Amino acid sequence: MGFLDKLFKRGDASEAEGLHADVPVERDECPHTNLVPKWDEPDDIGHEDKASRFDCGTCGATFTPAEAQELRETEAERIGAV
């Protein structure tokens, strides 16, 4: 373990969390419910309808405004809410 690993307490993840390296950890697919608007023009900032793209704040995926609108419309279905 190097100096930076000790400083930032980065060790073997299996030791730190009590996991075994040979047991896979299942991860669910990101539901993309945390969409953050991004703008190309400074004057457009704050106007969501003028966003050029939307980034998922959870996984980092990027979506067009049309894709973001579709994700928002189907959010309840995708996360299992009624």
Side-chain angles (χ1 to χ4, degrees), residues 4-36:
L4 292 177
D5 291 331
K6 289 179 184 177
L7 181 66
F8 293 107
K9 298 181 181 161
R10 292 183 293 201
D12 184 14
S14 63
E15 289 177 13
E17 298 177 24
L19 300 175
H20 299 284
D22 59 339
V23 178
V25 176
E26 292 185 30
R27 296 181 187 251
D28 294 331
E29 184 176 325
C30 182
H32 309 303
T33 56
N34 183 15
L35 298 178
V36 181

PDB file of all heavy atoms in Angstrom, residues 4-36:
ATOM      1  N   LEU A   4      -0.203   7.477  -0.733  1.00  0.00           N
ATOM      2  CA  LEU A   4      -1.507   8.073  -1.043  1.00  0.00           C
ATOM      3  C   LEU A   4      -2.657   7.139  -0.672  1.00  0.00           C
ATOM      4  O   LEU A   4      -3.715   7.592  -0.241  1.00  0.00           O
ATOM      5  CB  LEU A   4      -1.580   8.475  -2.509  1.00  0.00           C
ATOM      6  CG  LEU A   4      -0.671   9.631  -2.906  1.00  0.00           C
ATOM      7  CD1 LEU A   4      -0.772   9.895  -4.401  1.00  0.00           C
ATOM      8  CD2 LEU A   4      -1.010  10.884  -2.126  1.00  0.00           C
ATOM      9  N   ASP A   5      -2.436   5.842  -0.852  1.00  0.00           N
ATOM     10  CA  ASP A   5      -3.468   4.888  -0.459  1.00  0.00           C
ATOM     11  C   ASP A   5      -3.726   4.955   1.038  1.00  0.00           C
ATOM     12  O   ASP A   5      -4.869   4.913   1.483  1.00  0.00           O
ATOM     13  CB  ASP A   5      -3.065   3.464  -0.849  1.00  0.00           C
ATOM     14  CG  ASP A   5      -3.067   3.263  -2.352  1.00  0.00           C
ATOM     15  OD1 ASP A   5      -3.847   3.950  -3.036  1.00  0.00           O
ATOM     16  OD2 ASP A   5      -2.291   2.423  -2.833  1.00  0.00           O
ATOM     17  N   LYS A   6      -2.663   5.082   1.810  1.00  0.00           N
ATOM     18  CA  LYS A   6      -2.819   5.198   3.256  1.00  0.00           C
ATOM     19  C   LYS A   6      -3.482   6.514   3.630  1.00  0.00           C
ATOM     20  O   LYS A   6      -4.339   6.573   4.497  1.00  0.00           O
ATOM     21  CB  LYS A   6      -1.464   5.088   3.954  1.00  0.00           C
ATOM     22  CG  LYS A   6      -0.866   3.708   3.915  1.00  0.00           C
ATOM     23  CD  LYS A   6       0.480   3.681   4.589  1.00  0.00           C
ATOM     24  CE  LYS A   6       1.121   2.313   4.476  1.00  0.00           C
ATOM     25  NZ  LYS A   6       2.463   2.295   5.063  1.00  0.00           N
ATOM     26  N   LEU A   7      -3.066   7.585   2.945  1.00  0.00           N
ATOM     27  CA  LEU A   7      -3.601   8.908   3.222  1.00  0.00           C
ATOM     28  C   LEU A   7      -5.104   8.967   2.958  1.00  0.00           C
ATOM     29  O   LEU A   7      -5.868   9.502   3.752  1.00  0.00           O
ATOM     30  CB  LEU A   7      -2.875   9.965   2.388  1.00  0.00           C
ATOM     31  CG  LEU A   7      -3.317  11.402   2.587  1.00  0.00           C
ATOM     32  CD1 LEU A   7      -2.985  11.873   3.993  1.00  0.00           C
ATOM     33  CD2 LEU A   7      -2.642  12.296   1.561  1.00  0.00           C
ATOM     34  N   PHE A   8      -5.516   8.409   1.837  1.00  0.00           N
ATOM     35  CA  PHE A   8      -6.931   8.447   1.460  1.00  0.00           C
ATOM     36  C   PHE A   8      -7.680   7.187   1.869  1.00  0.00           C
ATOM     37  O   PHE A   8      -8.809   6.959   1.453  1.00  0.00           O
ATOM     38  CB  PHE A   8      -7.075   8.691  -0.038  1.00  0.00           C
ATOM     39  CG  PHE A   8      -6.615  10.060  -0.437  1.00  0.00           C
ATOM     40  CD1 PHE A   8      -5.434  10.239  -1.124  1.00  0.00           C
ATOM     41  CD2 PHE A   8      -7.369  11.174  -0.101  1.00  0.00           C
ATOM     42  CE1 PHE A   8      -5.013  11.510  -1.496  1.00  0.00           C
ATOM     43  CE2 PHE A   8      -6.952  12.444  -0.462  1.00  0.00           C
ATOM     44  CZ  PHE A   8      -5.772  12.615  -1.156  1.00  0.00           C
ATOM     45  N   LYS A   9      -7.027   6.369   2.675  1.00  0.00           N
ATOM     46  CA  LYS A   9      -7.620   5.138   3.206  1.00  0.00           C
ATOM     47  C   LYS A   9      -8.160   4.237   2.103  1.00  0.00           C
ATOM     48  O   LYS A   9      -9.248   3.684   2.188  1.00  0.00           O
ATOM     49  CB  LYS A   9      -8.721   5.469   4.219  1.00  0.00           C
ATOM     50  CG  LYS A   9      -8.168   6.211   5.402  1.00  0.00           C
ATOM     51  CD  LYS A   9      -9.225   6.532   6.407  1.00  0.00           C
ATOM     52  CE  LYS A   9      -8.549   7.297   7.531  1.00  0.00           C
ATOM     53  NZ  LYS A   9      -9.397   8.040   8.339  1.00  0.00           N
ATOM     54  N   ARG A  10      -7.372   4.153   1.022  1.00  0.00           N
ATOM     55  CA  ARG A  10      -7.744   3.262  -0.078  1.00  0.00           C
ATOM     56  C   ARG A  10      -7.016   1.952   0.117  1.00  0.00           C
ATOM     57  O   ARG A  10      -5.807   1.870  -0.018  1.00  0.00           O
ATOM     58  CB  ARG A  10      -7.355   3.858  -1.435  1.00  0.00           C
ATOM     59  CG  ARG A  10      -8.147   5.076  -1.793  1.00  0.00           C
ATOM     60  CD  ARG A  10      -7.767   5.549  -3.148  1.00  0.00           C
ATOM     61  NE  ARG A  10      -6.385   6.041  -3.121  1.00  0.00           N
ATOM     62  CZ  ARG A  10      -5.883   6.873  -4.011  1.00  0.00           C
ATOM     63  NH1 ARG A  10      -6.611   7.297  -5.006  1.00  0.00           N
ATOM     64  NH2 ARG A  10      -4.629   7.274  -3.927  1.00  0.00           N
ATOM     65  N   GLY A  11      -7.754   0.969   0.445  1.00  0.00           N
ATOM     66  CA  GLY A  11      -7.169  -0.349   0.610  1.00  0.00           C
ATOM     67  C   GLY A  11      -7.893  -1.306  -0.308  1.00  0.00           C
ATOM     68  O   GLY A  11      -8.591  -0.911  -1.227  1.00  0.00           O
ATOM     69  N   ASP A  12      -7.743  -2.550  -0.044  1.00  0.00           N
ATOM     70  CA  ASP A  12      -8.443  -3.573  -0.793  1.00  0.00           C
ATOM     71  C   ASP A  12      -9.928  -3.455  -0.480  1.00  0.00           C
ATOM     72  O   ASP A  12     -10.337  -3.525   0.672  1.00  0.00           O
ATOM     73  CB  ASP A  12      -7.901  -4.949  -0.413  1.00  0.00           C
ATOM     74  CG  ASP A  12      -8.519  -6.073  -1.213  1.00  0.00           C
ATOM     75  OD1 ASP A  12      -9.169  -5.781  -2.235  1.00  0.00           O
ATOM     76  OD2 ASP A  12      -8.346  -7.234  -0.811  1.00  0.00           O
ATOM     77  N   ALA A  13     -10.757  -3.275  -1.511  1.00  0.00           N
ATOM     78  CA  ALA A  13     -12.195  -3.090  -1.301  1.00  0.00           C
ATOM     79  C   ALA A  13     -12.823  -4.285  -0.603  1.00  0.00           C
ATOM     80  O   ALA A  13     -13.730  -4.132   0.206  1.00  0.00           O
ATOM     81  CB  ALA A  13     -12.889  -2.841  -2.635  1.00  0.00           C
ATOM     82  N   SER A  14     -12.317  -5.482  -0.888  1.00  0.00           N
ATOM     83  CA  SER A  14     -12.892  -6.659  -0.241  1.00  0.00           C
ATOM     84  C   SER A  14     -12.602  -6.669   1.257  1.00  0.00           C
ATOM     85  O   SER A  14     -13.404  -7.130   2.044  1.00  0.00           O
ATOM     86  CB  SER A  14     -12.383  -7.941  -0.900  1.00  0.00           C
ATOM     87  OG  SER A  14     -10.980  -8.050  -0.731  1.00  0.00           O
ATOM     88  N   GLU A  15     -11.452  -6.149   1.653  1.00  0.00           N
ATOM     89  CA  GLU A  15     -11.131  -6.070   3.074  1.00  0.00           C
ATOM     90  C   GLU A  15     -11.960  -4.987   3.752  1.00  0.00           C
ATOM     91  O   GLU A  15     -12.479  -5.173   4.841  1.00  0.00           O
ATOM     92  CB  GLU A  15      -9.653  -5.746   3.274  1.00  0.00           C
ATOM     93  CG  GLU A  15      -8.721  -6.865   2.929  1.00  0.00           C
ATOM     94  CD  GLU A  15      -7.267  -6.434   3.081  1.00  0.00           C
ATOM     95  OE1 GLU A  15      -7.022  -5.368   3.673  1.00  0.00           O
ATOM     96  OE2 GLU A  15      -6.390  -7.159   2.605  1.00  0.00           O
ATOM     97  N   ALA A  16     -12.073  -3.844   3.093  1.00  0.00           N
ATOM     98  CA  ALA A  16     -12.759  -2.705   3.679  1.00  0.00           C
ATOM     99  C   ALA A  16     -14.248  -2.969   3.888  1.00  0.00           C
ATOM    100  O   ALA A  16     -14.829  -2.526   4.862  1.00  0.00           O
ATOM    101  CB  ALA A  16     -12.575  -1.471   2.800  1.00  0.00           C
ATOM    102  N   GLU A  17     -14.864  -3.687   2.964  1.00  0.00           N
ATOM    103  CA  GLU A  17     -16.302  -3.909   3.046  1.00  0.00           C
ATOM    104  C   GLU A  17     -16.663  -5.329   3.440  1.00  0.00           C
ATOM    105  O   GLU A  17     -17.829  -5.684   3.476  1.00  0.00           O
ATOM    106  CB  GLU A  17     -16.945  -3.564   1.700  1.00  0.00           C
ATOM    107  CG  GLU A  17     -16.758  -2.100   1.337  1.00  0.00           C
ATOM    108  CD  GLU A  17     -17.335  -1.774  -0.020  1.00  0.00           C
ATOM    109  OE1 GLU A  17     -18.241  -2.505  -0.465  1.00  0.00           O
ATOM    110  OE2 GLU A  17     -16.897  -0.803  -0.621  1.00  0.00           O
ATOM    111  N   GLY A  18     -15.669  -6.153   3.697  1.00  0.00           N
ATOM    112  CA  GLY A  18     -15.937  -7.523   4.086  1.00  0.00           C
ATOM    113  C   GLY A  18     -16.442  -8.378   2.937  1.00  0.00           C
ATOM    114  O   GLY A  18     -17.102  -9.383   3.146  1.00  0.00           O
ATOM    115  N   LEU A  19     -16.138  -7.987   1.703  1.00  0.00           N
ATOM    116  CA  LEU A  19     -16.588  -8.732   0.530  1.00  0.00           C
ATOM    117  C   LEU A  19     -15.492  -9.672   0.072  1.00  0.00           C
ATOM    118  O   LEU A  19     -14.311  -9.446   0.322  1.00  0.00           O
ATOM    119  CB  LEU A  19     -16.943  -7.769  -0.606  1.00  0.00           C
ATOM    120  CG  LEU A  19     -18.050  -6.778  -0.301  1.00  0.00           C
ATOM    121  CD1 LEU A  19     -18.200  -5.812  -1.463  1.00  0.00           C
ATOM    122  CD2 LEU A  19     -19.356  -7.489  -0.039  1.00  0.00           C
ATOM    123  N   HIS A  20     -15.876 -10.702  -0.609  1.00  0.00           N
ATOM    124  CA  HIS A  20     -14.922 -11.628  -1.186  1.00  0.00           C
ATOM    125  C   HIS A  20     -14.743 -11.265  -2.650  1.00  0.00           C
ATOM    126  O   HIS A  20     -15.707 -10.988  -3.355  1.00  0.00           O
ATOM    127  CB  HIS A  20     -15.405 -13.073  -1.053  1.00  0.00           C
ATOM    128  CG  HIS A  20     -15.572 -13.484   0.374  1.00  0.00           C
ATOM    129  ND1 HIS A  20     -14.516 -13.788   1.180  1.00  0.00           N
ATOM    130  CD2 HIS A  20     -16.682 -13.618   1.138  1.00  0.00           C
ATOM    131  CE1 HIS A  20     -14.958 -14.099   2.386  1.00  0.00           C
ATOM    132  NE2 HIS A  20     -16.274 -14.003   2.387  1.00  0.00           N
ATOM    133  N   ALA A  21     -13.518 -11.267  -3.120  1.00  0.00           N
ATOM    134  CA  ALA A  21     -13.216 -10.864  -4.491  1.00  0.00           C
ATOM    135  C   ALA A  21     -13.868 -11.781  -5.519  1.00  0.00           C
ATOM    136  O   ALA A  21     -14.144 -11.360  -6.630  1.00  0.00           O
ATOM    137  CB  ALA A  21     -11.707 -10.826  -4.701  1.00  0.00           C
ATOM    138  N   ASP A  22     -14.129 -13.038  -5.170  1.00  0.00           N
ATOM    139  CA  ASP A  22     -14.692 -13.971  -6.133  1.00  0.00           C
ATOM    140  C   ASP A  22     -16.222 -13.940  -6.191  1.00  0.00           C
ATOM    141  O   ASP A  22     -16.831 -14.632  -6.984  1.00  0.00           O
ATOM    142  CB  ASP A  22     -14.218 -15.391  -5.838  1.00  0.00           C
ATOM    143  CG  ASP A  22     -14.599 -15.847  -4.434  1.00  0.00           C
ATOM    144  OD1 ASP A  22     -14.864 -14.980  -3.579  1.00  0.00           O
ATOM    145  OD2 ASP A  22     -14.615 -17.065  -4.196  1.00  0.00           O
ATOM    146  N   VAL A  23     -16.855 -13.101  -5.385  1.00  0.00           N
ATOM    147  CA  VAL A  23     -18.306 -12.988  -5.391  1.00  0.00           C
ATOM    148  C   VAL A  23     -18.684 -11.690  -6.103  1.00  0.00           C
ATOM    149  O   VAL A  23     -18.346 -10.609  -5.636  1.00  0.00           O
ATOM    150  CB  VAL A  23     -18.876 -12.970  -3.957  1.00  0.00           C
ATOM    151  CG1 VAL A  23     -20.387 -12.806  -3.977  1.00  0.00           C
ATOM    152  CG2 VAL A  23     -18.478 -14.233  -3.225  1.00  0.00           C
ATOM    153  N   PRO A  24     -19.362 -11.798  -7.271  1.00  0.00           N
ATOM    154  CA  PRO A  24     -19.716 -10.573  -8.000  1.00  0.00           C
ATOM    155  C   PRO A  24     -20.773  -9.770  -7.257  1.00  0.00           C
ATOM    156  O   PRO A  24     -21.644 -10.326  -6.585  1.00  0.00           O
ATOM    157  CB  PRO A  24     -20.270 -11.097  -9.329  1.00  0.00           C
ATOM    158  CG  PRO A  24     -20.707 -12.491  -9.044  1.00  0.00           C
ATOM    159  CD  PRO A  24     -19.820 -12.997  -7.940  1.00  0.00           C
ATOM    160  N   VAL A  25     -20.678  -8.462  -7.374  1.00  0.00           N
ATOM    161  CA  VAL A  25     -21.647  -7.566  -6.762  1.00  0.00           C
ATOM    162  C   VAL A  25     -22.640  -7.154  -7.841  1.00  0.00           C
ATOM    163  O   VAL A  25     -22.251  -6.643  -8.888  1.00  0.00           O
ATOM    164  CB  VAL A  25     -20.954  -6.307  -6.182  1.00  0.00           C
ATOM    165  CG1 VAL A  25     -21.977  -5.343  -5.625  1.00  0.00           C
ATOM    166  CG2 VAL A  25     -19.961  -6.717  -5.126  1.00  0.00           C
ATOM    167  N   GLU A  26     -23.912  -7.410  -7.606  1.00  0.00           N
ATOM    168  CA  GLU A  26     -24.926  -7.050  -8.587  1.00  0.00           C
ATOM    169  C   GLU A  26     -25.248  -5.567  -8.476  1.00  0.00           C
ATOM    170  O   GLU A  26     -25.397  -5.023  -7.402  1.00  0.00           O
ATOM    171  CB  GLU A  26     -26.198  -7.868  -8.360  1.00  0.00           C
ATOM    172  CG  GLU A  26     -26.016  -9.335  -8.658  1.00  0.00           C
ATOM    173  CD  GLU A  26     -27.325 -10.089  -8.532  1.00  0.00           C
ATOM    174  OE1 GLU A  26     -28.382  -9.487  -8.774  1.00  0.00           O
ATOM    175  OE2 GLU A  26     -27.267 -11.260  -8.192  1.00  0.00           O
ATOM    176  N   ARG A  27     -25.345  -4.916  -9.618  1.00  0.00           N
ATOM    177  CA  ARG A  27     -25.686  -3.498  -9.659  1.00  0.00           C
ATOM    178  C   ARG A  27     -26.892  -3.325 -10.572  1.00  0.00           C
ATOM    179  O   ARG A  27     -26.933  -3.863 -11.662  1.00  0.00           O
ATOM    180  CB  ARG A  27     -24.520  -2.672 -10.168  1.00  0.00           C
ATOM    181  CG  ARG A  27     -23.327  -2.738  -9.241  1.00  0.00           C
ATOM    182  CD  ARG A  27     -22.204  -1.872  -9.773  1.00  0.00           C
ATOM    183  NE  ARG A  27     -21.027  -2.079  -8.967  1.00  0.00           N
ATOM    184  CZ  ARG A  27     -20.542  -1.183  -8.136  1.00  0.00           C
ATOM    185  NH1 ARG A  27     -21.116  -0.028  -7.993  1.00  0.00           N
ATOM    186  NH2 ARG A  27     -19.461  -1.445  -7.435  1.00  0.00           N
ATOM    187  N   ASP A  28     -27.848  -2.562 -10.103  1.00  0.00           N
ATOM    188  CA  ASP A  28     -29.026  -2.297 -10.908  1.00  0.00           C
ATOM    189  C   ASP A  28     -28.690  -1.287 -11.986  1.00  0.00           C
ATOM    190  O   ASP A  28     -27.797  -0.465 -11.828  1.00  0.00           O
ATOM    191  CB  ASP A  28     -30.161  -1.751 -10.040  1.00  0.00           C
ATOM    192  CG  ASP A  28     -30.656  -2.770  -9.042  1.00  0.00           C
ATOM    193  OD1 ASP A  28     -30.566  -3.970  -9.326  1.00  0.00           O
ATOM    194  OD2 ASP A  28     -31.136  -2.349  -7.990  1.00  0.00           O
ATOM    195  N   GLU A  29     -29.445  -1.329 -13.063  1.00  0.00           N
ATOM    196  CA  GLU A  29     -29.277  -0.358 -14.128  1.00  0.00           C
ATOM    197  C   GLU A  29     -29.761   1.004 -13.626  1.00  0.00           C
ATOM    198  O   GLU A  29     -30.749   1.102 -12.912  1.00  0.00           O
ATOM    199  CB  GLU A  29     -30.086  -0.774 -15.353  1.00  0.00           C
ATOM    200  CG  GLU A  29     -29.878   0.135 -16.530  1.00  0.00           C
ATOM    201  CD  GLU A  29     -30.616  -0.345 -17.761  1.00  0.00           C
ATOM    202  OE1 GLU A  29     -30.714  -1.554 -17.967  1.00  0.00           O
ATOM    203  OE2 GLU A  29     -31.086   0.520 -18.491  1.00  0.00           O
ATOM    204  N   CYS A  30     -29.069   2.054 -14.000  1.00  0.00           N
ATOM    205  CA  CYS A  30     -29.411   3.404 -13.556  1.00  0.00           C
ATOM    206  C   CYS A  30     -30.773   3.808 -14.130  1.00  0.00           C
ATOM    207  O   CYS A  30     -31.002   3.678 -15.332  1.00  0.00           O
ATOM    208  CB  CYS A  30     -28.345   4.392 -13.995  1.00  0.00           C
ATOM    209  SG  CYS A  30     -28.667   6.076 -13.444  1.00  0.00           S
ATOM    210  N   PRO A  31     -31.687   4.316 -13.304  1.00  0.00           N
ATOM    211  CA  PRO A  31     -32.998   4.737 -13.797  1.00  0.00           C
ATOM    212  C   PRO A  31     -32.987   6.142 -14.397  1.00  0.00           C
ATOM    213  O   PRO A  31     -33.993   6.588 -14.924  1.00  0.00           O
ATOM    214  CB  PRO A  31     -33.870   4.696 -12.542  1.00  0.00           C
ATOM    215  CG  PRO A  31     -32.922   4.963 -11.430  1.00  0.00           C
ATOM    216  CD  PRO A  31     -31.618   4.331 -11.851  1.00  0.00           C
ATOM    217  N   HIS A  32     -31.859   6.843 -14.345  1.00  0.00           N
ATOM    218  CA  HIS A  32     -31.713   8.189 -14.910  1.00  0.00           C
ATOM    219  C   HIS A  32     -32.791   9.139 -14.392  1.00  0.00           C
ATOM    220  O   HIS A  32     -33.471   9.809 -15.157  1.00  0.00           O
ATOM    221  CB  HIS A  32     -31.733   8.156 -16.437  1.00  0.00           C
ATOM    222  CG  HIS A  32     -30.784   7.184 -17.042  1.00  0.00           C
ATOM    223  ND1 HIS A  32     -29.429   7.210 -16.801  1.00  0.00           N
ATOM    224  CD2 HIS A  32     -30.994   6.131 -17.878  1.00  0.00           C
ATOM    225  CE1 HIS A  32     -28.854   6.226 -17.470  1.00  0.00           C
ATOM    226  NE2 HIS A  32     -29.772   5.558 -18.112  1.00  0.00           N
ATOM    227  N   THR A  33     -32.940   9.205 -13.088  1.00  0.00           N
ATOM    228  CA  THR A  33     -33.946  10.092 -12.499  1.00  0.00           C
ATOM    229  C   THR A  33     -33.354  11.417 -12.038  1.00  0.00           C
ATOM    230  O   THR A  33     -34.090  12.311 -11.633  1.00  0.00           O
ATOM    231  CB  THR A  33     -34.628   9.414 -11.300  1.00  0.00           C
ATOM    232  OG1 THR A  33     -33.632   9.017 -10.356  1.00  0.00           O
ATOM    233  CG2 THR A  33     -35.445   8.213 -11.743  1.00  0.00           C
ATOM    234  N   ASN A  34     -32.041  11.555 -12.115  1.00  0.00           N
ATOM    235  CA  ASN A  34     -31.360  12.775 -11.676  1.00  0.00           C
ATOM    236  C   ASN A  34     -30.753  13.475 -12.892  1.00  0.00           C
ATOM    237  O   ASN A  34     -29.549  13.477 -13.095  1.00  0.00           O
ATOM    238  CB  ASN A  34     -30.276  12.403 -10.657  1.00  0.00           C
ATOM    239  CG  ASN A  34     -29.565  13.601 -10.102  1.00  0.00           C
ATOM    240  OD1 ASN A  34     -30.013  14.727 -10.235  1.00  0.00           O
ATOM    241  ND2 ASN A  34     -28.430  13.361  -9.480  1.00  0.00           N
ATOM    242  N   LEU A  35     -31.602  14.058 -13.739  1.00  0.00           N
ATOM    243  CA  LEU A  35     -31.140  14.695 -14.966  1.00  0.00           C
ATOM    244  C   LEU A  35     -30.788  16.157 -14.712  1.00  0.00           C
ATOM    245  O   LEU A  35     -31.589  16.921 -14.184  1.00  0.00           O
ATOM    246  CB  LEU A  35     -32.211  14.584 -16.052  1.00  0.00           C
ATOM    247  CG  LEU A  35     -32.565  13.157 -16.466  1.00  0.00           C
ATOM    248  CD1 LEU A  35     -33.675  13.172 -17.504  1.00  0.00           C
ATOM    249  CD2 LEU A  35     -31.342  12.423 -16.989  1.00  0.00           C
ATOM    250  N   VAL A  36     -29.581  16.531 -15.117  1.00  0.00           N
ATOM    251  CA  VAL A  36     -29.060  17.880 -14.890  1.00  0.00           C
ATOM    252  C   VAL A  36     -28.910  18.570 -16.240  1.00  0.00           C
ATOM    253  O   VAL A  36     -28.191  18.077 -17.112  1.00  0.00           O
ATOM    254  CB  VAL A  36     -27.693  17.816 -14.173  1.00  0.00           C
ATOM    255  CG1 VAL A  36     -27.153  19.208 -13.915  1.00  0.00           C
ATOM    256  CG2 VAL A  36     -27.798  17.020 -12.886  1.00  0.00           C
TER     257      VAL A  36
END
